[in-house]
Amino acid sequence: MIQTACDSSLPHDSMIVDAHVVVVDDDPRLRRLLQRYLSEQGFRVSAASSAQEARQVLGFMQPDALVLDITMPGENGLELTRELRREKLHFPILLLTARGEPEDRIIGLEAGADDYLAKPFEPRELLLRLKAHLRRFVPPAPSSNLRIVRLGELEFDPVRGLLSNAQGIVHLTGGESALLSVLARHPNEILSRTDIATTLDMEEIGERAVDVQVTRLRRRIEPDPREPRFLQTVRGKGYVLKPGL
């Protein structure tokens, strides 16, 4: 349930023009409220009442973001999230749930979600979180100080936020791309979990969420994630990205 009445007075943001969000929730009242509120804020919005309906929507279009309730009859939100990630669909996923304990949030991140919002919530917070994740897909202004980072057979372009190899683009989730972008801007520099969490707006979830994202990213960039060469842990200090061949 949304905690307060929808506020349509927030200014529109040019970054979300034409952004398409799919809202999936089996509560028809909440679904209608979110659809109306996000539409008033400039999004194009589709809605589905179940994972099955969501799959029908995703069958003919790929959204810019997905707002997904966890507790639904049949396939739940966590199961759908895992399946979408296995299918290499990497748009931002924001989970909604009535359970807001830190451990529940960690489970959501481990499933492949980019964010997690506990009910009841303020609609403005949902809006700001969506914008934050969409913003991560907008390439930053070019800078001569940002160079291609080599990670063995992989290359990461921090300006465009793209990871690639000889076969083409290696798809990353929004959270994985954001973490790699932060690390790539500080190669060979130790970044604490607190610094990373602050930069990625993850303070509320905590430092363990950073560890979860690091584990996921290692699966993308390391030949052997159990023996990381590029994304290393510095005990008691944090993490460091060490580019190399």
Side-chain angles (χ1 to χ4, degrees), residues 158-192:
V159 173
R160 301 167 62 201
L162 294 179
L163 181 68
S164 61
N165 56 23
Q167 286 71 49
I169 300 298
V170 176
H171 293 288
L172 299 173
T173 67
E176 292 164 354
S177 178
L179 174 59
L180 186 53
S181 294
V182 171
L183 295 166
R185 283 165 168 74
H186 304 274
N188 299 304
E189 179 181 336
I190 299 172
L191 299 180
S192 71

Side-chain angles (χ1 to χ4, degrees), residues 89-222:
L89 297 175
H90 297 288
F91 44 77
I93 298 177
L94 193 156
L95 293 177
L96 303 177
T97 181
R99 301 177 62 182
E101 296 300 320
E103 187 62 29
D104 297 317
R105 301 184 184 202
I106 294 298
I107 292 172
L109 291 172
E110 289 176 334
D114 296 282
D115 210 341
Y116 194 107
L117 195 57
K119 301 177 182 178
F121 58 86
E122 292 281 354
R124 183 169 183 174
E125 181 179 2
L126 172 66
L127 175 65
L128 293 175
R129 286 175 182 260
L130 275 175
K131 285 185 176 182
H133 288 292
L134 289 170
R135 192 174 293 114
R136 290 170 184 164
F137 287 89
V138 178
S143 170
S144 59
N145 296 325
L146 298 179
R147 299 181 179 180
I148 298 295
V149 176
R150 290 293 304 274
L151 303 168
E153 297 180 355
L154 297 168
E155 291 187 349
F156 182 69
D157 183 345
V159 173
R160 301 167 62 201
L162 294 179
L163 181 68
S164 61
N165 56 23
Q167 286 71 49
I169 300 298
V170 176
H171 293 288
L172 299 173
T173 67
E176 292 164 354
S177 178
L179 174 59
L180 186 53
S181 294
V182 171
L183 295 166
R185 283 165 168 74
H186 304 274
N188 299 304
E189 179 181 336
I190 299 172
L191 299 180
S192 71
R193 289 173 173 83
T194 300
D195 289 339
I196 295 172
T198 300
T199 302
L200 298 180
D201 297 324
M202 299 170 66
E203 302 101 316
E204 182 182 351
I205 304 176
E207 295 180 0
R208 188 180 167 195
V210 174
D211 298 334
V212 171
Q213 292 286 18
V214 166
T215 298
R216 288 168 54 181
L217 181 57
R218 279 174 173 160
R219 295 183 188 133
R220 305 282 188 186
I221 68 174
E222 298 285 357

Side-chain angles (χ1 to χ4, degrees), residues 218 222-228:
R218 279 174 173 160
E222 298 285 357
D224 183 357
R226 296 169 298 180
E227 297 289 339

Side-chain angles (χ1 to χ4, degrees), residues 2-4 6 10 16 21-25 30-31 33-35 37-39 41 43 45 65-68 93-97 115-134:
I2 292 180
Q3 190 169 11
T4 62
C6 293
L10 296 176
I16 65 170
V21 177
V22 176
V23 175
V24 187
D25 198 300
L30 178 58
R31 195 168 61 245
L33 285 170
L34 287 178
Q35 189 169 17
Y37 176 72
L38 293 176
S39 296
Q41 303 307 318
F43 290 96
V45 185
L66 186 67
V67 177
L68 176 61
I93 298 177
L94 193 156
L95 293 177
L96 303 177
T97 181
D115 210 341
Y116 194 107
L117 195 57
K119 301 177 182 178
F121 58 86
E122 292 281 354
R124 183 169 183 174
E125 181 179 2
L126 172 66
L127 175 65
L128 293 175
R129 286 175 182 260
L130 275 175
K131 285 185 176 182
H133 288 292
L134 289 170

